[in-house]
Amino acid sequence: MNLYLGLGVLQNSRDVQTTLTILSILTELLTVGRGRRVGVFVSKGGTGVLFQILVNASKEFPPSEELMLQLHSLLAKVGPKDRKFGMKARLSGALNVTINLMKRNLLNTKLLLPCLQVLRVYATSSVNAISLGKNGVVELMFKVIAPYSKKNTSLLKVALDALGALLKSKTNARRAVDGNFVPVLLNLYLDWHRNDARHRYMLIRKGLLVCLKNITNIKVGRKAFFEANGMRILYNSSTECLPVRTLDPLVNTSSLIMRKCFPKNRLPLPTIKSAFHFQLPHVPADGPVAQLYSQLPGVDDVVDESDDNEEPEADSDTENDEDEKDNCSLNDDIETDINKLHPKRSIGRSFEELKFYKKFFSELFEDFQRYDFECSKSLSTSSSASLSSSSTRVARPIALPAASSQKQISPNSQEDFNFVKRLHTQQSPSTPASTTTAPQTPIDLDSIHINKDEDKKEDAKFPSPDGQTISATFCRSPEQELIHPLECVSLEDKGNLRAEVGSERVKQEGSPVNNTRHIQSPLLLGGIPTRRVGGGGSNWGSDCGSEGTEDESGEGAVLEVPDTAQLLPLHDPDLYVEMVKETFSVPRYAEVAYPDYFGHVAPTSKEPLLERLYGVQRSKIFQDIERLIHPNDILDKVVYDLDIPSCPVVEDSGESLKFNSQFESGNLRKAVQVRKYEYDLVLNADINSNHYHQWFYFEVSGMRVGTTYRFNIINCEKSNSQFNYGMQVLMYSVQEAISGRPCWVRAGTDICYYKNHFARSSIAAGGQKGKSYYTLTFSITFSHKDDVCYFAYHYPYTYSSLKMHLSKLEDLRTPRIYLRQDVLCETLSGNSCPLLTITAMPESNSNDHICQFRNRPLIFLSARVHPGETNASWVMKGTLEFLMGSSPLAASLREAYIFKIVPMLNPDGVVNGNHRCSLSGEDLNRQWLNPNPELHPTIYHTKSLLQYLAYIQRAPLVFCDYHGHSRKKNVFMYGCSVKETVWQTNISASSSDLQEDLGYRTLPKILSQIAPAFSMGSSSFVVERSKESTARVVVWREIGVQRSYTMESTLCGCDQGKYKGLQIGTRELEEMGAQFCVALLRLKRLTGLRNHQNLLDLECDIIGTQSKAASSLTTYVMEEDEPSFLEAIDYSAESNDEDGEPENELCCEVQENFDLLSDSETTTGTS
């Protein structure tokens, strides 16, 4: 009551003394209460009353100094709590009163201090800041701030705060530059830095830096700072502050200013377009490729007219802009058209067009009358026993149609090598002519000296679904009637095999590999010496195109390598080479990377998230700034450059590392040695593009043991990365592999990811002004002499690996498994896109069994539409191996569903080391609305398959596209829901509009209970406008698949559940693929109910999550594939999942099966 009474008396008071008394009482009242009373005072119009008294008092001459002091002191207390404070001051005229009072009392510190405190609040409104600047307040403030002095430090601190707020306005910042105040601020900062030896006035020093930071937000400010030697001043002062931890705020702010003012440079490339070019069959005039190649030369330059123009400031009150901006950013991309939110099956094509795709669904029409089920049962029993007893399988013979006689491999005796790093393959052109009628001549690999005796084999031919002997079936391309015959790989299942180990073995501690392979070095395939154009390992021949030197014996060196086939039953190095020879790449790769040839055995040890040391990023940035401060210390020596195609490896005296990326899926464009042990690395853009730099895969050799090297990948594009939150790069050591540990391991220290000084022009950046690049930096200490190491963004999984894997899956087939491999289509470069059909054979050819077989629900799976998301392929590998497994769960799953699987939607992108696009230069996951059959054949034909199924009323029960996620942890799903989308918007919708089956949540909820890596809390079911052309949304909207998902797997690790705090590996990814299968089996049980209203209740009863169902709301994420948020370092579990193990028989069984598989692989190598 005293507060209300005081306001009323104050408003009606005409006596100065009475007013002073009331102001004094109000000050005491508002001092206590933790701001609550101030809020009440503001809500009752107190701010307006104070402004009215201030304006009236200013009309008196001379105005009462005591009254002005009290009013400004009270306004300084009230202002921060009043959101409309700046606008009220401007409209009432109080703004000018305060300015005039300050101008007349610059030496009256007692009155000046509260005026500055109020001015600091005034300036938080950008409109007020501009007005104050026009009235000379910026220049006035530079009369207040002064060099080092122990007097009036409180006033100086408030003055710097007010000046910093004023300089947030670009107009005022430009005014400060024009007034030549940047050198003044630098000299003041240097003065305070030198004299404040005990660091008592850190806030004043920080205030000066904030003023500089705001001025350097504009281009002329950065230029003035640089010309005033600001880089050297802040660098030297910050270096002196580094040992004192309490001065970190000064160091961090200085670092931010220096990074902004570091002169922008273009990348050290002739053009940021890809180093490789692929001629498209036609280029749409409005497409990205046409725009890319219509740009004038030199468009990559970082300076152009658009970058010079500063954005005009809005002449409106922007005090609430931040809140409005937050609301807009949250809701702008969400679909608000209720008509688009209701999936309406719209095939859009006639049956005449779609009936061509009937041949891909022969299982729906097969009668199995020619199939001998009695014979298959007996064979199934014997073959399963054979499979279970055989621990080692020998690669099957591969029959390749020959266009001419075979050529023997003749080892080149003139070259001397310490060991073999890779295989050389002679490859067909990247763009095969339409008249090609046969593949390359098959290569006889007998000349490879392998110390492994041939095993005795028993042929066991199983009947296939059509009654014939088992063989892989390849259908014709839907676009053409097979312009040239595709290879038909004839595979024969082998009986129980007994591996006979050769006399020479590698016996090492901790090595699970016993057998060794002796490989003549080098491997020259096809009898034609191939010129080495990659980086060198130890003594691989230093000159590009040279044939090396002849060793003393006149024969090539022999490399003793582990026989990893014992550890990887589904990996065959020789078969991999055959697959590589049939793979077409734009650069015409003639090499095979060592890790891809010998494979990867997942390490049994856990790899925790890397704990980031304090100050790592700052120290790296300071080292970068040193390049500008001490340019003479920089070598700037190019050691690898793909833009020199004749000789990308630049030879030197042996003091530099050697690099190479010229193999399938490789990506490294250029390497520049900047210091003795530091290298800048530049990634290649996606072909027919000038961006999407993220995926890398390259080789390094010529290192020194025990020396720490720093690698900087300088043209990353994303604004943040999981490399800042515990993720490490992948490294594969050849020496470790030879020692019996052939695996990719997480490696690197001092890892961080930050914005650098390289940039693109606004035109090259697609209209975004001054788009900067980011640096991923990591340090590596090598442990072995004469080693060759490979580095990758994530576990590589090449297109040739997929082909090898699919071929080896035939070994797992039994007579009870229906497996068919078709070629869905050919890609732009002539690579085939495989389509798999997996289900169980019918029990007999009776009508009932055939009917049950044909009427099984369909599950449609796809993966790897984005080449850089290799984890999607590892998840798919787990799914495929589970589906082809012999466990009861796998058998039940095959009996429950028919699986149609496209395991790699973008083979061309994978082969050529792209990160996101196909050879068309486009993101294929944005082409589903209207795919072009020539430019996007895999998407066009995959969508056609789904359209055909919709036409014949057999739309899939589940559609899931496997992806990888670069900025979030865990595995999670994106789905489509009308209701959950509407909840995130302000659109009005009737109850009928919001009615939908809640079954879309069932599968992810099951996964959250049985899959340790899965997080329901990270999943989202919101439909966004920007995703309307993705597979998930199109299949939901046009095909009518309610359970249409994108399943995202982290590239980093997990922050919840069993794997909390660990980086994810191939074992966990493959396990996720297997768990997805188990979840589908549970889904089958749930979808058998007709009462969908009780679906979630039943699910909760089974899973045991009744208490969690009501609170499990969706988590809205702006971006489906790559959300543009900055994730906090302190991760907290957002899902309701418990950390404990799932307690249900399905989960336990699949976990046991997966562990048994892993154990069997390990024991096989050690037995």
Side-chain angles (χ1 to χ4, degrees):
M1 289 295 294
N2 291 338
L3 189 62
Y4 304 146
L5 180 62
L7 264 179
V9 174
L10 182 63
Q11 193 169 10
N12 297 319
S13 174
R14 297 292 182 268
D15 180 64
V16 174
Q17 192 60 44
T18 303
T19 302
L20 286 171
T21 303
I22 297 173
L23 289 175
S24 178
I25 295 172
L26 284 175
T27 300
E28 292 183 12
L29 287 172
L30 297 180
T31 301
V32 296
R34 295 183 178 178
R36 184 168 51 84
R37 291 181 178 179
V38 176
V40 174
F41 180 82
V42 171
S43 66
K44 298 301 179 181
T47 307
V49 173
L50 294 180
F51 281 141
Q52 179 185 345
I53 296 172
L54 179 63
V55 172
N56 291 336
S58 68
K59 297 177 182 177
E60 301 292 332
F61 189 82
S64 169
E65 181 177 324
E66 185 64 24
L67 181 58
M68 289 296 179
L69 179 63
Q70 287 276 20
L71 281 170
H72 279 88
S73 298
L74 193 54
L75 284 169
K77 190 180 297 293
V78 171
K81 297 292 183 180
D82 189 344
R83 296 172 62 85
K84 300 292 183 182
F85 188 81
M87 183 178 65
K88 293 175 183 177
R90 187 172 64 254
L91 297 178
S92 66
L95 204 64
N96 292 329
V97 172
T98 302
I99 295 173
N100 293 329
L101 190 64
M102 287 175 56
K103 290 179 178 178
R104 293 195 300 266
N105 292 274
L106 286 177
L107 300 179
N108 186 349
T109 56
K110 182 180 179 181
L111 181 57
L112 186 60
L113 179 59
C115 288
L116 288 171
Q117 291 171 335
V118 175
L119 181 69
R120 180 173 56 185
V121 184
Y122 287 163
T124 57
S125 165
S126 62
V127 178
N128 284 351
I130 295 173
S131 177
L132 291 168
K134 291 178 179 177
N135 284 299
V137 177
V138 172
E139 293 81 1
L140 183 66
M141 298 307 296
F142 279 98
K143 296 179 180 179
V144 177
I145 59 177
Y148 175 80
S149 172
K150 294 182 180 180
K151 298 180 180 179
N152 301 324
T153 54
S154 297
L155 184 142
L156 184 56
K157 170 64 179 68
V158 175
L160 287 171
D161 288 345
L163 179 59
L166 287 169
L167 293 175
K168 286 183 179 179
S169 161
K170 293 180 180 179
T171 303
N172 290 339
R174 203 172 295 112
R175 195 184 308 275
V177 173
D178 294 340
N180 201 30
F181 290 125
V182 173
V184 174
L185 287 171
L186 284 169
N187 290 331
L188 285 172
Y189 178 75
L190 194 56
D191 181 57
W192 280 89
H193 170 75
R194 288 171 176 170
N195 290 286
D196 185 22
R198 296 187 178 182
H199 313 303
R200 294 180 177 177
Y201 306 111
M202 192 179 74
L203 293 178
I204 293 177
R205 294 158 66 180
K206 176 69 179 296
L208 289 165
L209 289 175
V210 169
C211 293
L212 285 168
K213 179 173 73 73
N214 292 338
I215 289 177
T216 53
N217 283 334
I218 62 174
K219 188 171 184 177
V220 291
R222 294 190 289 272
K223 182 180 178 182
F225 174 86
F226 192 84
E227 292 176 348
N229 204 24
M231 295 290 288
R232 187 176 294 273
I233 291 173
L234 291 194
Y235 174 80
N236 292 335
S237 61
S238 299
T239 304
E240 295 171 5
C241 292
L242 282 174
V244 184
R245 185 74 174 264
T246 55
L247 298 182
D248 279 356
L250 303 182
V251 177
N252 294 337
T253 307
S254 297
S255 172
L256 180 63
I257 296 170
M258 287 187 286
R259 289 171 63 190
K260 283 195 301 182
C261 297
F262 202 114
K264 291 295 182 183
N265 295 326
R266 60 176 293 165
L267 289 170
L269 299 172
T271 173
I272 60 173
K273 300 183 186 74
S274 174
F276 308 125
H277 174 68
F278 180 83
Q279 185 62 47
L280 297 175
H282 76 275
V283 179
D286 57 346
V289 177
Q291 297 174 13
L292 178 71
Y293 289 100
S294 65
Q295 294 173 358
L296 298 175
V299 75
D300 296 344
D301 292 337
V302 296
V303 177
D304 60 22
E305 292 182 1
S306 62
D307 293 330
D308 290 330
N309 299 329
E310 299 289 347
E311 295 178 0
E313 293 181 287
D315 190 17
S316 60
D317 204 337
T318 58
E319 289 170 298
N320 301 322
D321 277 2
E322 291 301 319
D323 296 331
E324 295 171 4
K325 188 182 298 182
D326 291 340
N327 292 332
C328 291
S329 64
L330 180 64
N331 297 315
D332 275 354
D333 193 37
I334 300 179
E335 182 58 72
T336 56
D337 187 341
I338 199 70
N339 294 321
K340 291 185 177 181
L341 286 176
H342 282 287
K344 297 177 182 178
R345 185 173 296 177
S346 174
I347 300 176
R349 297 175 66 186
S350 67
F351 185 69
E352 287 299 315
E353 294 180 85
L354 295 173
K355 68 180 182 180
F356 174 82
Y357 296 91
K358 178 180 179 179
K359 67 179 182 180
F360 294 106
F361 298 95
S362 59
E363 68 277 1
L364 301 181
F365 311 99
E366 177 64 61
D367 58 12
F368 295 95
Q369 295 305 310
R370 294 183 297 169
Y371 187 81
D372 189 344
F373 284 91
E374 292 302 322
C375 177
S376 70
K377 289 179 181 178
S378 62
L379 281 171
S380 177
T381 304
S382 62
S383 64
S384 61
S386 172
L387 285 169
S388 62
S389 63
S390 175
S391 61
T392 304
R393 300 186 65 88
V394 172
R396 299 158 300 163
I398 304 173
L400 294 174
S404 59
S405 60
Q406 295 187 352
K407 298 181 181 180
Q408 299 291 330
I409 301 177
S410 55
N412 187 346
S413 60
Q414 295 181 354
E415 297 190 9
D416 176 24
F417 298 98
N418 290 342
F419 55 85
V420 171
K421 305 188 303 177
R422 65 177 66 77
L423 304 176
H424 291 254
T425 65
Q426 187 68 25
Q427 175 150 323
S428 301
S430 59
T431 310
S434 59
T435 57
T436 302
T437 58
Q440 285 184 307
T441 303
I443 303 302
D444 183 2
L445 299 179
D446 290 342
S447 62
I448 299 179
H449 300 283
I450 301 176
N451 186 22
K452 183 172 67 175
D453 293 342
E454 287 296 320
D455 298 302
K456 296 181 180 180
K457 313 171 184 69
E458 278 184 25
D459 293 346
K461 296 185 178 180
F462 297 147
S464 66
D466 59 1
Q468 306 299 318
T469 56
I470 287 179
S471 63
T473 305
F474 293 91
C475 294
R476 293 172 178 250
S477 166
E479 265 309 284
Q480 309 153 356
E481 288 297 316
L482 269 186
I483 294 177
H484 60 274
L486 295 171
E487 299 79 24
C488 184
V489 181
S490 176
L491 307 177
E492 296 183 359
D493 198 354
K494 304 301 177 185
N496 191 13
L497 304 175
R498 184 176 59 188
E500 298 179 4
V501 181
S503 58
E504 297 189 23
R505 298 170 179 266
V506 176
K507 297 180 180 179
Q508 300 196 8
E509 294 258 348
S511 169
V513 181
N514 291 25
N515 280 4
T516 62
R517 299 162 62 95
H518 286 183
I519 297 184
Q520 192 72 24
S521 166
L523 298 175
L524 303 178
L525 305 185
I528 302 174
T530 55
R531 181 177 61 189
R532 171 165 179 77
V533 291
S538 49
N539 302 328
W540 270 76
S542 59
D543 296 327
C544 293
S546 68
E547 297 184 3
T549 58
E550 188 173 344
D551 63 8
E552 295 178 1
S553 63
E555 296 180 357
V558 174
L559 168 64
E560 189 176 79
V561 295
D563 183 6
T564 55
Q566 294 190 32
L567 294 178
L568 298 169
L570 294 181
H571 184 92
D572 185 338
D574 301 330
L575 179 57
Y576 181 81
V577 174
E578 294 295 332
M579 296 305 174
V580 171
K581 290 186 293 186
E582 300 166 9
T583 297
F584 302 108
S585 64
V586 173
R588 305 185 184 185
Y589 292 135
E591 301 175 18
V592 176
Y594 188 103
D596 302 325
Y597 179 77
F598 284 103
H600 158 72
V601 179
T604 55
S605 60
K606 302 298 182 183
E607 296 180 295
L609 294 167
L610 181 67
E611 183 177 352
R612 181 159 165 172
L613 299 177
Y614 181 82
V616 166
Q617 178 170 303
R618 187 176 62 193
S619 65
K620 298 294 183 183
I621 291 171
F622 270 71
Q623 290 175 26
D624 292 348
I625 294 172
E626 284 178 9
R627 301 188 191 187
L628 187 67
I629 306 299
H630 306 294
N632 294 332
D633 296 342
I634 304 305
L635 299 177
D636 201 23
K637 175 184 176 183
V638 177
V639 296
Y640 181 73
D641 192 352
L642 279 184
D643 291 295
I644 310 174
S646 60
C647 187
V649 180
V650 180
E651 296 300 331
D652 63 0
S653 58
E655 293 297 319
S656 304
L657 294 177
K658 294 182 179 180
F659 295 83
N660 180 39
S661 61
Q662 294 189 294
F663 43 80
E664 186 173 345
S665 294
N667 191 318
L668 177 66
R669 181 170 182 171
K670 190 172 187 176
V672 181
Q673 186 177 16
V674 291
R675 295 185 178 95
K676 188 173 183 179
Y677 302 119
E678 182 179 354
Y679 294 82
D680 281 354
L681 309 179
V682 184
L683 304 182
N684 194 27
D686 285 5
I687 293 177
N688 279 327
S689 165
N690 64 1
H691 51 303
Y692 300 117
H693 306 91
Q694 187 167 342
W695 168 257
F696 58 87
Y697 183 17
F698 59 88
E699 169 201 292
V700 176
S701 60
M703 64 284 291
R704 293 186 178 183
V705 177
T707 299
T708 299
Y709 292 85
R710 177 184 172 185
F711 298 101
N712 312 306
I713 299 177
I714 62 174
N715 62 331
C716 302
E717 293 184 56
K718 295 185 180 299
S719 59
N720 201 8
S721 169
Q722 285 291 315
F723 284 115
N724 277 334
Y725 308 105
M727 187 166 87
Q728 294 174 281
V729 299
L730 274 301
M731 185 179 81
Y732 192 106
S733 165
V734 171
Q735 290 285 11
E736 285 290 313
I738 293 174
S739 300
R741 293 175 291 276
C743 60
W744 287 97
V745 295
R746 299 280 185 172
T749 58
D750 295 346
I751 300 176
C752 50
Y753 186 96
Y754 55 89
K755 184 185 290 188
N756 60 33
H757 61 279
F758 294 103
R760 295 171 286 175
S761 70
S762 60
I763 299 175
Q768 303 179 57
K769 187 176 66 175
K771 180 105 181 212
S772 295
Y773 288 105
Y774 292 77
T775 290
L776 162 63
T777 181
F778 59 94
S779 297
I780 292 287
T781 302
F782 297 100
S783 303
H784 300 288
K785 183 182 180 182
D786 294 329
D787 202 357
V788 177
C789 293
Y790 292 80
F791 293 95
Y793 179 66
H794 198 66
Y795 300 93
Y797 190 99
T798 66
Y799 172 62
S800 296
S801 295
L802 172 68
K803 293 192 294 182
M804 175 196 66
H805 185 221
L806 296 183
S807 177
K808 296 293 288 183
L809 279 178
E810 288 283 348
D811 288 348
L812 303 179
R813 173 161 42 180
T814 69
R816 304 305 304 161
I817 299 178
Y818 183 104
L819 169 65
R820 192 176 74 252
Q821 293 188 35
D822 301 314
V823 171
L824 176 62
C825 63
E826 284 192 351
T827 63
L828 284 169
S829 67
N831 292 305
S832 61
C833 178
L835 169 67
L836 275 69
T837 304
I838 302 175
T839 187
M841 293 290 290
E843 293 185 23
S844 72
N845 54 12
S846 68
N847 289 337
D848 289 344
H849 288 153
I850 297 300
C851 182
Q852 187 276 338
F853 174 85
R854 292 177 178 177
N855 289 314
R856 292 170 186 168
L858 278 89
I859 305 293
F860 204 109
L861 305 178
S862 62
R864 207 66 185 280
V865 70
H866 294 144
E869 297 168 6
T870 58
N871 48 356
S873 283
W874 288 100
V875 176
M876 179 59 76
K877 181 175 183 287
T879 294
L880 291 174
E881 291 181 11
F882 184 88
L883 286 175
M884 294 298 296
S886 58
S887 71
L889 280 179
S892 299
L893 191 63
R894 291 191 295 268
E895 292 168 1
Y897 298 111
I898 297 174
F899 287 85
K900 307 297 286 192
I901 302 174
V902 184
M904 190 171 285
L905 281 167
N906 191 352
D908 287 347
V910 172
V911 170
N912 293 286
N914 283 7
H915 171 65
R916 198 168 182 86
C917 298
S918 70
L919 295 185
S920 68
E922 297 168 294
D923 182 347
L924 290 183
N925 201 36
R926 296 298 186 275
Q927 310 304 322
W928 279 78
L929 267 181
N930 188 28
N932 185 297
E934 286 188 296
L935 297 178
H936 324 118
T938 59
I939 304 302
Y940 178 85
H941 295 297
T942 302
K943 183 177 181 181
S944 296
L945 293 177
L946 291 161
Q947 289 173 322
Y948 173 79
L949 289 173
Y951 198 96
I952 64 172
Q953 304 296 312
R954 292 296 303 274
L957 176 68
V958 172
F959 172 86
C960 190
D961 191 19
Y962 291 1
H963 281 254
H965 209 292
S966 69
R967 297 203 221 178
K968 292 182 70 176
K969 288 183 169 63
N970 311 314
V971 180
F972 50 94
M973 274 183 164
Y974 294 125
C976 301
S977 164
V978 176
K979 184 178 295 184
E980 299 197 34
T981 303
V982 171
W983 284 347
Q984 298 290 340
T985 66
N986 296 322
I987 63 174
S988 58
S990 63
S991 58
S992 60
D993 289 331
L994 297 181
Q995 287 185 353
E996 67 177 338
D997 191 335
L998 297 179
Y1000 65 89
R1001 273 185 164 265
T1002 309
L1003 185 59
K1005 283 182 69 67
I1006 295 172
L1007 282 170
S1008 70
Q1009 296 300 314
I1010 69 173
F1014 192 88
S1015 169
M1016 186 68 178
S1018 299
S1019 300
S1020 173
F1021 305 93
V1022 174
V1023 180
E1024 307 94 338
R1025 293 192 188 100
S1026 63
K1027 304 300 182 296
E1028 66 176 359
S1029 58
T1030 61
R1032 166 178 64 101
V1033 177
V1034 170
V1035 173
W1036 172 71
R1037 185 176 288 163
E1038 295 186 12
I1039 310 300
V1041 179
Q1042 180 197 32
R1043 298 176 180 86
S1044 179
Y1045 305 105
T1046 297
M1047 187 165 76
E1048 302 273 0
S1049 300
T1050 179
L1051 292 162
C1052 177
C1054 298
D1055 60 14
Q1056 50 92 53
K1058 174 182 175 182
Y1059 301 128
K1060 182 177 181 179
L1062 299 177
Q1063 296 185 76
I1064 203 160
T1066 57
R1067 186 184 301 273
E1068 291 75 32
L1069 292 169
E1070 291 183 51
E1071 178 194 76
M1072 187 65 231
Q1075 298 284 14
F1076 183 83
C1077 294
V1078 177
L1080 289 173
L1081 194 56
R1082 165 121 0 131
L1083 179 68
K1084 174 64 176 176
R1085 300 176 182 178
L1086 298 181
T1087 53
L1089 297 173
R1090 295 184 179 275
N1091 187 357
H1092 291 285
Q1093 294 290 354
N1094 297 324
L1095 185 61
L1096 285 183
D1097 293 337
L1098 175 64
E1099 174 205 336
C1100 293
D1101 290 339
I1102 295 176
I1103 300 179
T1105 59
Q1106 181 69 53
S1107 61
K1108 302 175 186 178
S1111 62
S1112 182
L1113 298 177
T1114 188
T1115 300
Y1116 174 62
V1117 181
M1118 280 292 295
E1119 296 285 342
E1120 177 188 33
D1121 299 313
E1122 305 291 349
S1124 58
F1125 68 95
L1126 301 182
E1127 194 169 2
I1129 293 179
D1130 183 19
Y1131 289 98
S1132 59
E1134 296 180 356
S1135 72
N1136 294 322
D1137 304 340
E1138 299 294 336
D1139 291 343
E1141 297 293 327
E1143 297 179 359
N1144 60 79
E1145 55 179 321
L1146 288 180
C1147 177
C1148 293
E1149 184 172 348
V1150 72
Q1151 184 65 47
E1152 290 172 5
N1153 290 335
F1154 192 83
D1155 292 340
L1156 285 174
L1157 176 63
S1158 303
D1159 293 340
S1160 66
E1161 292 179 355
T1162 304
T1163 55
T1164 298
T1166 56
S1167 60

